[in-house]
Amino acid sequence: MTDIIGLANSKGGVAKTTSCLAIGTCLAELGYSTLLMDLDHQANLSDDVERGDEDYTITDLFEDPKFDLNQCVYPAMSQGKEIPNLDVVPADITLATTARSAERHIHRHQILSDGIKKLKKNYDFILIDCRPAIDLSIECAFLVADLLIVPVDMDRRATKGILDLFETVKEVKRVEDFNYLLVKTKVDTRNKIMLRSTDDRIEQLGLKAAKAQARTTELYKQATDNKVPVTHFAPNSRAHDDYKAITNEILDEMKIKGPRFEVEVVV
Ligand SMILES: Nc1ncnc2c1ncn2[C@@H]1O[C@H](COP(=O)(O)OP(=O)(O)OP(=O)(O)O)[C@@H](O)[C@H]1O
Ligand SMILES: [Mg+2]
């Protein structure tokens, strides 16, 4: 069975793509067969795994819902080498307009789930990186997601649209409840005021957040600059440790029995 995780927040720059890639590489490292799916026309995730310039992209599926998604599955790369257990469905700029034109299809919300059902490879996980907006492609991701990860950075605006986002998820899924987890990112543990303020806001909104969090470090930017996932760029760093802990917590949240990292949770 494949478990599908969507990463979404309508605020930009909160570390959705960074988290998608880091959690993806951590799952792959544990031996889980993992597929990353880029649903952002900015194609940052695709670029990060050296797949920013492919013949077939997720646009092909939204253009023609009968398109065979297997044709745009590529091994994820780091410094010219395939990353074991990690594949990617890339995006490119054309997704911005195509998702809009797909609105005309009667079963438009099923486009992604129907495409995923046809995948030949048996993935343990599919991780979907959403763009900072809510459009048809993102609603399709909400429909298929078993768990929604919402990265929030230490900025008041990061929690602003979450309740609206959740209303859309419930509407698309036609449910009153669904599984989600907020993940705090760019956490500066020295800045107690902002930390407390973020925690207070999360509590006031009655939202559930992971105990593990991604602390702030320049390593993320350096890794992107070198086109290497941060977990590979700095394997013995706090960045890798933080995402190992976040990955463990996600596996617990999804009640997955199987391998875990040995790592202390930083609270
Ligand atoms: N824990 C962290 N500490 C410091 N910088 C970080 C951290 N996580 C991510 N960043 C940096 O923050 C920036 C935005 O990250 P990212 O692209 O993942 O955000 P995003 O939510 O996907 O953005 P968008 O909404 O545009 O898709 C990047 O430069 C990234 O390197
Ligand atoms: Mg992004």
Side-chain angles (χ1 to χ4, degrees), residues 16-17 40 42 44 129-130:
K16 294 179 287 295
T17 304
D40 186 349
Q42 299 179 92
N44 295 338
D129 184 29
C130 299

Side-chain angles (χ1 to χ4, degrees), residues 9-71:
N9 188 332
S10 33
K11 180 174 185 278
V14 292
K16 294 179 287 295
T17 304
T18 303
S19 300
C20 186
L21 181 59
I23 295 165
T25 52
C26 280
L27 287 169
E29 211 179 311
L30 285 173
Y32 293 108
S33 170
T34 305
L35 175 67
L36 305 173
M37 200 174 267
D38 196 346
L39 272 196
D40 186 349
H41 63 274
Q42 299 179 92
N44 295 338
L45 179 65
S46 312
D47 283 335
D48 288 349
V49 292
E50 299 175 15
R51 295 295 186 181
D53 189 23
E54 302 302 331
D55 290 342
Y56 297 107
T57 68
I58 192 71
T59 297
D60 292 290
L61 182 69
F62 283 96
E63 225 161 48
D64 171 15
K66 291 192 197 79
F67 175 79
D68 179 7
L69 198 58
N70 292 291
Q71 280 189 268

Side-chain angles (χ1 to χ4, degrees), residues 1-4 31-35 70 73 85-87 116-126:
M1 204 188 89
T2 306
D3 287 287
I4 304 180
Y32 293 108
S33 170
T34 305
L35 175 67
N70 292 291
V73 173
N85 296 327
L86 198 65
D87 289 341
I116 287 173
K117 274 183 208 143
K118 289 186 205 142
L119 285 174
K120 290 198 187 98
K121 204 159 159 184
N122 213 353
Y123 291 103
D124 296 309
F125 290 98
I126 298 178

